Amino acid sequence: MAKSSKHTSALQEVDGIPQPEFISQSALQKAMAKRRVQPSADELLAGILAHDKTALSRAITLIESTNPDHLTKANTVIQGCLPHANRSVRIGITGVPGVGKSTFIEAFGTYLTQLGKKVAVLAVDPSSSISHGSILGDKTRMEELVKDENAFIRPSASGDSLGGVARKTRESIILCEAAGFDTIIIETVGVGQSETAVHSMVDFFLLLKIAGAGDELQGIKRGIMEMADAVVINKADGDNVAKAKLAKTEFNRALHLFPAKTSGWTPKVTTCSAFEKTGIDAIWELISDYLTLVQSNQYFDQRRQEQNQYWLMETINEQLMQRFYHHPEIAPLLEQNKKAVQNHELSPFAAASIVLKKYFKEK
């Protein structure tokens, strides 16, 4: 009986080069010491402006940190990047899980880098409400784009933020722009909680759909459709081409029912196959037409100014909440009043009044 060939998985451990008998302790200590050294804000800023992806990654990690000691350093880096930011096109991409966002972004991003663009992808992975962990697997799914010298992919955990946008995505955009990336793509979780967060930080909002799969977002479809600047029917390949064309017609009809956009732009519907990389060029042409229109009628700059004001208020709200919940006098009092509310000893409104009065008195 012939011996069957043994299949070796890439995930299996195989015999490799044996470890050397002697390892230089001095070299090991130098390497470990280098790892422990944290770059200063000026060093990170210099690296970002020199288009160093490692410095960019470390700076984003810094601004995502919840450690209060990192806040001042992070703000210094962001402030230094501001004069070099706002020179990109920001594109938000959303859609339900399974619509093919990662495959589409890889095909779209690769197409843009071939045109000479520098593309940064800020991909947001959903966090577990139980373990609070995230897989952060977008780099694995975008195998071609991750190896492209003109591309940068940064997966981040959504945490407890709404809309599937990481808490510091806005600041990450500024850092990527300062690092020389002229096209920023923000991928959302796509769970339909609050796409307003994405819409408030991008220039163009793209909604990915698939044909023949029902409408998981029926309850909030109108809200997302009103925000979308384009609807793209993905997976228009094989036996699904006819269904995709029918879906395109239906969405075109639906878009005519919505109010006109203040930008003067009429949302478009198109089809593509991210797997076969067809229809991608038409999507970029559509986005280019949109940019030409909004830059000529000054809506582009007006929208950016409105977004800056929005994020000013959001940042104030976020920092007020953090200071409130981390106040040493408030945490125990809050727990005490929570129990009183649970035991029907206090109304939620009376309990809230007690805690807030204590906080403002301490302030």
Side-chain angles (χ1 to χ4, degrees):
M1 186 175 179
K3 186 177 180 181
S4 60
S5 59
K6 185 178 179 181
H7 174 71
T8 303
S9 168
L11 299 177
Q12 291 178 331
E13 184 178 350
V14 296
D15 294 335
I17 300 173
Q19 292 292 326
E21 296 181 1
F22 174 78
I23 298 177
S24 170
Q25 291 299 320
S26 61
L28 181 62
Q29 289 172 2
K30 287 180 181 178
M32 294 301 292
K34 188 175 181 180
R35 288 183 182 180
R36 284 194 293 265
V37 174
Q38 296 296 322
S40 65
D42 290 339
E43 290 172 334
L44 286 174
L45 180 59
I48 291 171
L49 298 181
H51 303 173
D52 182 354
K53 291 182 183 179
T54 301
L56 176 59
S57 294
R58 298 186 77 167
I60 293 177
T61 299
L62 179 69
I63 66 174
E64 288 180 342
S65 173
T66 56
N67 187 337
D69 296 337
H70 294 164
L71 182 60
T72 302
K73 186 176 177 181
N75 286 338
T76 302
V77 175
I78 295 169
Q79 194 65 32
C81 288
L82 276 176
H84 308 276
N86 296 302
R87 300 172 185 172
S88 76
V89 176
R90 304 167 183 173
I91 304 170
I93 297 178
T94 190
V96 296
V99 77
K101 291 191 293 293
S102 295
T103 307
F104 172 79
I105 289 173
E106 177 169 50
F108 185 56
T110 303
Y111 174 78
L112 292 179
T113 57
Q114 290 172 353
L115 294 179
K117 303 289 185 181
K118 294 197 66 178
V119 179
V121 179
L122 301 176
V124 184
D125 269 11
S127 296
S128 168
S129 59
I130 299 173
S131 65
H132 305 290
S134 298
I135 297 175
L136 302 179
D138 290 277
K139 280 193 172 184
T140 304
R141 291 194 291 266
M142 303 178 193
E143 293 181 1
E144 293 181 21
L145 194 60
V146 76
K147 294 181 287 188
D148 196 316
E149 291 185 359
N150 290 321
F152 172 78
I153 302 174
R154 172 70 184 207
S156 299
S158 64
D160 56 0
S161 60
L162 292 177
V165 181
R167 186 175 58 90
K168 295 295 184 180
T169 302
R170 167 77 177 182
E171 289 92 329
S172 298
I173 292 173
I174 294 171
L175 267 58
C176 289
E177 290 174 338
F181 292 97
D182 51 36
T183 308
I184 314 294
I185 298 174
I186 297 96
E187 176 196 0
T188 75
V189 175
V191 293
Q193 285 179 296
S194 175
E195 303 301 324
T196 305
V198 191
H199 188 253
S200 63
M201 64 175 73
V202 298
D203 305 310
F204 190 91
F205 190 67
L206 189 151
L207 173 61
L208 274 182
K209 302 286 289 184
I210 49 177
D215 191 357
E216 295 84 351
L217 297 177
Q218 185 65 39
I220 59 167
K221 180 172 70 174
R222 182 178 178 88
I224 293 182
M225 289 285 287
E226 285 179 341
M227 288 189 287
D229 296 303
V231 178
V232 175
I233 315 297
N234 191 21
K235 302 185 180 181
D237 45 48
D239 298 334
N240 211 36
V241 173
K243 292 180 181 178
K245 288 182 179 178
L246 178 60
K248 177 182 176 180
T249 302
E250 292 175 348
F251 277 111
N252 264 321
R253 289 173 181 167
L255 287 173
H256 287 298
L257 302 175
F258 299 133
K261 288 181 172 289
T262 54
S263 62
W265 170 256
T266 302
K268 305 294 190 297
V269 184
T270 186
T271 62
C272 79
S273 170
F275 180 73
E276 294 183 349
K277 296 180 174 60
T278 56
I280 303 298
D281 54 343
I283 296 170
W284 178 243
E285 184 177 345
L286 186 153
I287 295 174
S288 299
D289 291 343
Y290 170 84
L291 293 172
T292 300
L293 172 67
V294 296
Q295 287 171 349
S296 64
N297 64 14
Q298 278 73 54
Y299 178 80
F300 185 90
D301 293 330
Q302 176 189 336
R303 177 69 179 152
R304 285 281 180 97
Q305 291 169 2
E306 291 173 354
Q307 289 177 348
N308 288 337
Q309 292 179 11
Y310 173 85
W311 284 101
L312 165 65
M313 301 309 297
E314 286 296 304
T315 303
I316 291 173
N317 291 336
E318 178 190 336
Q319 293 193 13
L320 284 174
M321 287 180 62
Q322 285 184 348
R323 292 186 181 185
F324 175 79
Y325 287 114
H326 289 87
H327 193 283
E329 299 291 333
I330 294 303
L333 181 62
L334 184 58
E335 289 302 317
Q336 176 185 338
N337 280 271
K338 279 182 180 179
K339 292 178 181 178
V341 171
Q342 290 171 354
N343 296 331
H344 304 287
E345 298 169 2
L346 277 175
S347 72
F349 310 103
S353 179
I354 292 171
V355 176
L356 289 171
K357 282 181 180 178
K358 175 68 174 177
Y359 176 73
F360 287 115
K361 183 180 180 181
E362 291 295 329
K363 296 298 288 182

